[in-house]
Amino acid sequence: MSESTSIRERERQIVDEFSMFDDWMGRYEYLIELGSDLPLIEDRYKTDEFKIKGCQSQVWLRPDYRNGRVYFRADSDAVITKGLIALLVRVLDGELPADIATAPLRFIDEIGMKEHLSSTRKNGLASMIRQIRSYASSVTAEA
Amino acid sequence: MDTTLTPATAALNVELLRKDFPALHQSAHDHPLVYLDNAATTQKPQSVIDRIRRYYESENSNVHRGVHFLSQLATDAYEGARRTIASYINASDPREVIFTRGTTESINLVASSYGASFVPGDEVLISTMEHHSNIVPWQMLCERRGCTLKVIPVSDEGEIIYEEFERLLSERTKILAVCHTSNALGTVNPIQRMIRDAHALGVPVLIDAAQALPHGPMDVRELDCDFLCFSSHKMFGPTGVGVLYGKQDLLESLPPYQGGGDMIESVSFEGTTYNELPHRFEAGTPNIAGVIGLEAAVKYLQKVSPAAISSYEAELTDYATKTISSIDGVRIVGTAKRKVPVMSFLVGDIHPYDCGTILDRLGIAVRTGHHCTQPLMHRFGIPGTARASLAFYNTFGEVDALADGIRKAKSMLMR
């Protein structure tokens, strides 16, 4: 299956935005700022069911499958983590489950945030991506 | 290169000592590495690295087995290390030193073998500030044997509440298992007094000394502890090896832990008789290189001078405490009167993970999270902290770098 062009397009936009900063501090400050754009999960869904395991900070993510597309709401009590989730959601929100399941998500590396993908960091980005992909695959299988 | 001998009274020449630790001299994210995660693991001096290399290059062989030349070399080195370590902790006999994989395995060994005789109604006494490795093995034992786990509470300063300890200690207590020094708070517990009080009721004592040995030697005979557990990698030695010290008569009375080679005297399908101490508790090929590396670490520490380390670290602890707590909004968790240079802290309402991430970008290595002490974090009503844990090779300048880093993290993260 070919890569979704709209996902890739949104990733490119993010890479462009981050390329305006020439140091890590600027990139992190921008990341934290983007965290405030995250569509927040309602407090009543901040339960174990929607909690991402293996994180140092608390992270909740709730996917919602409507009209053939997947929408996400999430939150975290750590602002850097929240910024990272906001980026993921921005790239994947409203896409087809099959596209979400197979998106390579290269932009994380491209904006210099690759270290957050390491499982030892326990910020949950890697487990969040796993969770998103497995949810997307499960609804793809149902469809 | 090895450091020249420092007289016990002389001040520590930290800049010179740092040259012995190759891993300290590198950059992290384009900043000079400031390694403040020593309670997780310490860096290794060149003499330790060289010793392990020499073992593999010229002595590698299995121990206690072969008649040949190399096996004899390896066995001599391995048993020599046991003698060095026994004398470092002032054990009465090298047979009282059992090599394990680390503190965790040492505690599990005691919980499994010593705990095998526990019956329902017996109690195990630990404290709130224990590392998970000194909680979970006892919980598992209590579940198996129908015993009860009792927990000594800690004060807001992070000290054992002594009256509560006295209240919980009873003739039902089958073992007191406490840390000498808290990994999360840096608190140094009144171990000597606790051991005396426990013994007055006939209760044996296990000391988790994993966080104590990096800051100074211990004397098991002076302490009169029954078991002492520690890890090589937290005291400048290699990973994967640790020690269980036990009083000889106590160890003699315990059933074996794991079965396998080297721990037996004779094996037949009708039954097996077990080897004597210490081999009875060292089933299988041990971590020979690790044990020999640990000996090199002990020799290094002896050469640097424990007295000089201890007085320098006291100054470092004072300076770090003052410097960090003077930053507006910073709260140090764990303010015991007796502490090692371990600073657990919170910055305003900033999540420790965010703080640690910014410090990492500045080349400063701290640990964030619950530090394997979830019940303790729960006691303080916090999810975790950022923790800077220092060793004798850390400098006052590195404390300043940490303080600058915290200020920068604050300016980026406080909103």
Side-chain angles (χ1 to χ4, degrees):
Chain A
M1 181 182 304
S2 70
E3 204 175 326
S4 154
T5 50
S6 68
I7 289 179
R8 192 62 201 142
E9 189 45 45
R10 286 189 227 170
E11 288 192 59
R12 279 205 193 93
Q13 237 172 45
I14 290 171
V15 174
D16 274 358
E17 288 166 25
F18 273 82
S19 71
M20 290 188 297
F21 303 98
D22 46 17
D23 68 341
W24 69 271
M25 275 185 72
R27 286 198 299 274
Y28 270 80
E29 278 170 336
Y30 185 55
L31 178 75
I32 293 164
E33 202 182 308
L34 291 178
S36 56
D37 297 340
L38 177 69
L40 290 180
I41 184 170
E42 291 165 75
D43 278 346
R44 66 190 164 110
Y45 292 124
K46 287 187 175 175
T47 58
D48 276 356
E49 189 188 351
F50 298 110
K51 202 164 174 168
I52 308 276
K53 287 186 186 67
C55 308
Q56 264 191 29
S57 53
Q58 302 199 82
V59 179
W60 299 271
L61 176 90
R62 181 170 178 263
D64 186 18
Y65 183 53
R66 289 197 307 269
N67 307 323
R69 289 175 186 268
V70 185
Y71 301 85
F72 300 94
R73 284 177 168 269
D75 201 359
S76 170
D77 52 1
V79 295
I80 291 172
T81 309
K82 197 169 163 181
L84 292 164
I85 312 171
L87 288 179
L88 268 186
V89 169
R90 191 172 141 192
V91 166
L92 301 175
D93 206 40
E95 293 293 329
L96 298 168
D99 290 342
I100 292 171
T102 54
L105 302 173
R106 293 187 202 97
F107 77 102
I108 297 159
D109 189 4
E110 289 164 357
I111 61 170
M113 298 284 165
K114 186 180 162 191
E115 66 211 51
H116 292 283
L117 286 170
S118 148
S119 60
T120 58
R121 291 189 72 91
K122 297 205 170 165
N123 74 339
L125 186 64
S127 39
M128 201 157 17
I129 292 174
R130 258 198 312 277
Q131 199 117 328
I132 288 175
R133 283 186 179 142
S134 100
Y135 177 82
S137 310
S138 71
V139 292
T140 311
E142 270 174 40
Chain B
M1 201 185 73
D2 234 27
T3 313
T4 45
L5 213 109
T6 318
T9 46
L12 218 55
N13 187 339
V14 177
E15 285 310 324
L16 192 66
L17 287 175
R18 287 177 69 83
K19 292 200 172 83
D20 296 335
F21 293 83
L24 294 176
H25 308 285
Q26 57 182 310
S27 295
H29 301 298
D30 299 324
H31 289 82
L33 173 68
V34 175
Y35 186 77
L36 305 179
D37 196 16
N38 294 286
T41 197
T42 51
Q43 299 303 339
K44 321 304 172 198
Q46 191 64 52
S47 59
V48 168
I49 300 166
D50 288 347
R51 183 64 191 92
I52 294 168
R53 188 190 163 105
R54 182 154 63 86
Y55 166 74
Y56 279 123
E57 282 178 351
S58 60
E59 295 157 281
N60 176 52
S61 190
N62 212 331
V63 291
H64 307 139
R65 287 177 178 67
V67 288
H68 58 80
F69 174 76
L70 267 191
S71 174
Q72 198 52 53
L73 270 188
T75 304
D76 287 349
Y78 183 78
E79 291 304 328
R82 196 190 308 275
R83 284 192 297 275
T84 302
I85 290 150
S87 112
Y88 187 63
I89 60 170
N90 197 27
S92 315
D93 193 298
R95 282 174 296 186
E96 295 180 321
V97 169
I98 314 282
F99 291 118
T100 62
R101 283 190 296 130
T103 305
T104 299
E105 192 179 46
S106 300
I107 297 171
N108 274 282
L109 193 162
V110 176
S112 169
S113 289
Y114 184 67
S117 63
F118 291 12
V119 294
D122 286 347
E123 294 176 0
V124 174
L125 186 56
I126 62 171
S127 88
T128 305
M129 69 174 90
E130 300 311 315
H131 188 283
H132 293 164
S133 62
N134 199 27
I135 300 174
V136 184
W138 303 114
Q139 275 179 331
M140 290 163 65
L141 169 68
C142 286
E143 225 161 87
R144 273 198 313 272
R145 310 291 311 171
C147 310
T148 311
L149 190 67
K150 295 278 180 176
V151 185
I152 312 162
V154 302
S155 67
D156 291 344
E157 290 72 35
E159 293 173 327
I160 278 182
I161 303 175
Y162 210 86
E163 307 75 68
E164 292 290 323
F165 161 60
E166 287 172 319
R167 200 177 57 76
L168 288 164
L169 188 67
S170 77
E171 55 286 350
R172 284 185 305 279
T173 312
K174 286 303 291 262
I175 192 165
L176 166 68
V178 283
C179 61
H180 177 287
T181 300
S182 153
N183 74 308
L185 308 174
T187 307
V188 177
N189 286 320
I191 287 305
Q192 187 109 50
R193 189 178 161 205
M194 293 177 85
I195 293 171
R196 220 174 32 233
D197 287 347
H199 283 176
L201 284 178
V203 176
V205 183
L206 175 144
I207 303 296
D208 168 1
Q211 298 293 338
L213 267 301
H215 302 290
M218 299 196 69
D219 184 328
V220 289
R221 271 189 281 177
E222 194 195 325
L223 279 175
D224 197 28
C225 56
D226 301 279
F227 298 108
L228 185 88
C229 309
F230 56 95
S231 295
S232 155
H233 74 102
K234 292 192 198 286
M235 54 185 295
F236 317 100
T239 51
V241 63
V243 168
L244 168 66
Y245 157 84
K247 283 181 180 165
Q248 193 173 336
D249 51 343
L250 210 50
L251 288 176
E252 302 270 18
S253 71
L254 300 189
Y257 177 48
Q258 291 174 332
D262 223 25
M263 57 80 71
I264 51 90
E265 187 188 57
S266 72
V267 177
S268 73
F269 289 116
E270 287 67 47
T272 292
T273 54
Y274 303 117
N275 203 340
E276 51 193 32
L277 289 180
H279 313 295
R280 181 140 64 112
F281 291 105
E282 293 178 2
T285 296
N287 185 347
I288 306 163
V291 164
I292 292 168
L294 170 59
E295 180 190 36
V298 164
K299 285 183 170 169
Y300 180 87
L301 284 169
Q302 286 173 319
K303 211 153 80 171
V304 173
S305 150
I309 289 177
S310 139
S311 68
Y312 175 72
E313 286 194 353
E315 288 171 38
L316 200 60
T317 308
D318 278 351
Y319 183 71
T321 306
K322 282 194 194 97
T323 308
I324 307 305
S325 56
S326 72
I327 303 168
D328 200 30
V330 169
R331 171 183 155 211
I332 292 189
V333 181
T335 50
K337 281 186 277 302
R338 281 187 69 206
K339 272 188 75 167
V340 294
V342 167
M343 250 59 59
S344 237
F345 61 91
L346 291 165
V347 187
D349 57 358
I350 295 173
H351 198 284
Y353 178 79
D354 287 329
C355 185
T357 300
I358 300 302
L359 290 175
D360 170 53
R361 297 293 325 194
L362 295 163
I364 302 166
V366 297
R367 180 159 168 198
T368 64
H370 53 62
H371 317 298
C372 297
T373 56
Q374 285 181 3
L376 182 65
M377 296 295 118
H378 185 73
R379 151 68 182 85
F380 283 99
I382 52 179
T385 66
R387 179 191 69 186
S389 54
L390 284 63
F392 64 79
Y393 50 55
N394 288 121
T395 65
F396 286 60
E398 288 180 307
V399 172
D400 293 337
L402 170 65
D404 287 345
I406 294 172
R407 284 192 200 92
K408 193 162 264 181
K410 243 182 81 177
S411 75
M412 289 179 70
L413 297 164
M414 280 259 214
R415 17 214 71 219

